[in-house]
Amino acid sequence: MSLPKRVVLVGPMGAGKSTIGRMLARELGYRFLDSDRIIEERCGANIPWIFDVEGEDGFRQRETAMLAELSVESQTVLATGGGAVMRAENHAVLKKDAVVVYLRTSIEQQVERTRKDRNRPLLQNDDPEGVLRHLFAIRDPLYSELADIIMHTDRKSPRLVVRQLVNRINPKTPRQQRQVRKEGRNHV
Ligand code: S3P
């Protein structure tokens, strides 16, 4: 089985897309791309500033353009922002020549991992947990629909998630290959 051209990570805020993406890229010998960080570099401003000045719509426009640009790159692992699935026009772009991985994470883990974060404008309010729940209800079906692999991350270290992903993406032993055929796109 040969490696895919690209691996795309989708999932909510706090799923670990950047940490896991960076480690996975190293394992595969691929380049790591982080859509949000590249938007910030290009803009010379951070995401809260972009939301403040251009609104969420302005950010989503930048995100759509960035995903289209990054989706032509080969041998890359791309970490997307949690809202990348919200625009239907992004879906084909994300899927093109890629294995899409949904890092599925409980609300509790999302809350825990984003608790001290000040760089996520959607969570700077009185009820970040309520927002995460609301977004999960809308986005979980979209992430699941797009995904080739649904990887559960709760109670797993990033190292374990990466090992399981490498086995799924590039199964080397006959046993691993049988397992992948059996699981199809099912949950890992
Ligand atoms: C967002 C998630 C963020 C970032 C922006 C909006 C969202 O990325 O793109 O704050 O709509 O869920 P992370 O998922 O990397 O935190």
Side-chain angles (χ1 to χ4, degrees), residues 12-13 17 36 47 51 59-60 63 81-83 120-122 139:
M13 295 178 264
K17 293 170 301 229
D36 283 346
I47 289 179
F51 268 68
F59 172 75
R60 297 289 169 215
E63 185 175 49
R120 291 177 167 111
L122 297 177
R139 295 174 178 179

Side-chain angles (χ1 to χ4, degrees), residues 11-15 17-18 34 36-37 39 47-48 51 56 59-60 63 80-84 86 114 117 119-122 135 139 143:
M13 295 178 264
K17 293 170 301 229
S18 301
D34 188 323
D36 283 346
R37 296 296 82 78
I39 291 172
I47 289 179
F51 268 68
E56 181 171 348
F59 172 75
R60 297 289 169 215
E63 185 175 49
T80 61
M86 292 306 289
T114 55
D117 192 281
N119 205 37
R120 291 177 167 111
L122 297 177
L135 293 178
R139 295 174 178 179
Y143 297 135

